[in-house]
Amino acid sequence: MSAAPALAELETITDRRRAAAVMHPLRPRILHLAATPSSATELAGQLRLPRQVVNYHVRELARARFLKRAGQRKKRNLIEQRWVATARAYVFAPDVLGPAAPDWRRIQDAMSAEYLAALAAQVQSDLGAITAQAAAAGKRLSTLSLHSELRFENAEQRARFADALHAAVLDVIARHAAPASKPDGTPGSGRPYRLMLGCYPAPSVPSPDA
């Protein structure tokens, strides 16, 4: 029995046909269970469904490159093919929506939730593209992530925070980054990076006593 292929932590789906292939409600459940190598028979047992039904969806997921071969196992006088998911989790790139995908440049209100959501879609789209490029080149991406939770008692406090954060970020960029463009308007030296910051109210969490 050959060793199982390594799983990626996250895979971004950028192809519309692949996106359509995983939309059947049973297929995400199969991918979740296939985080460890499994045959169609084993998956059918876990899902409590007929093997023929599960085997059909396994073949379709393999055809769409969501499952890859992970060795074989012998059961009685039969040799069963085992499969493993290509990643532990998946996200859809906004690009799969084509012209209906969000575009922050089409939203005038830069303080709106829609604008922030469109920026987040841009990040997701960019990361999907550069992750695929890095994987093809056998390289690892250099990124920076910041995450924090904070509270504001009123709108004035929130506004002061926004102004101070904006000024601090501009100062850090000016002191630690190369110029984005040269005096003649051509791109500056070095690899370009994108920085996006967002702040939004945290979703309400139901009380355990509710």
Side-chain angles (χ1 to χ4, degrees):
M1 183 182 295
S2 58
L7 273 70
E9 289 298 326
L10 184 68
E11 182 178 332
T12 301
I13 304 169
T14 58
D15 183 272
R16 295 183 193 179
R17 288 172 294 183
R18 291 189 74 214
V22 79
M23 288 304 294
H24 187 285
L26 178 59
R27 294 178 186 175
R29 296 172 63 194
I30 291 175
L31 290 178
H32 174 68
L33 294 173
T36 55
S38 306
S39 67
T41 300
E42 291 172 316
L43 292 168
Q46 291 177 281
L47 293 166
R48 299 183 180 180
L49 291 172
R51 180 188 178 280
Q52 293 84 350
V53 172
V54 175
N55 192 46
Y56 166 77
H57 290 289
V58 165
R59 291 199 308 269
E60 291 299 306
L61 285 169
R63 185 176 293 114
R65 306 188 311 281
F66 286 105
L67 290 175
K68 50 190 176 182
R69 295 179 184 273
Q72 297 176 329
R73 75 161 188 165
K74 186 174 181 179
K75 184 179 181 182
R76 299 187 181 91
N77 295 325
L78 299 176
I79 301 296
E80 290 188 333
Q81 177 63 54
R82 306 188 92 188
W83 302 91
V84 67
T86 55
R88 298 188 187 279
Y90 301 85
V91 294
F92 291 109
D95 310 66
V96 300
L97 293 173
D103 186 345
W104 57 271
R105 290 162 293 197
R106 297 200 297 256
I107 302 175
Q108 295 184 354
D109 186 359
M111 301 299 289
S112 67
E114 293 79 7
Y115 187 90
L116 180 55
L119 277 182
Q122 174 78 60
V123 173
Q124 188 175 331
S125 180
D126 288 346
L127 285 175
I130 62 175
T131 299
Q133 293 168 4
K139 296 181 179 180
R140 187 177 183 275
L141 289 175
S142 295
T143 63
L144 170 66
S145 300
L146 297 175
H147 177 266
S148 181
E149 291 192 10
L150 52 154
R151 292 177 181 269
F152 298 116
E153 294 179 343
N154 51 57
E156 291 75 16
Q157 187 184 40
R158 186 176 65 244
R160 290 195 301 271
F161 171 84
D163 290 341
L165 180 62
H166 183 258
V169 169
L170 290 180
D171 177 62
V172 170
I173 291 173
R175 289 191 291 116
H176 298 286
S181 59
K182 298 177 182 178
D184 61 1
T186 58
S189 60
R191 181 174 183 175
Y193 278 72
R194 284 179 176 161
L195 172 66
M196 297 183 185
L197 296 174
C199 187
Y200 54 91
S204 300
V205 178
S207 170
D209 300 328

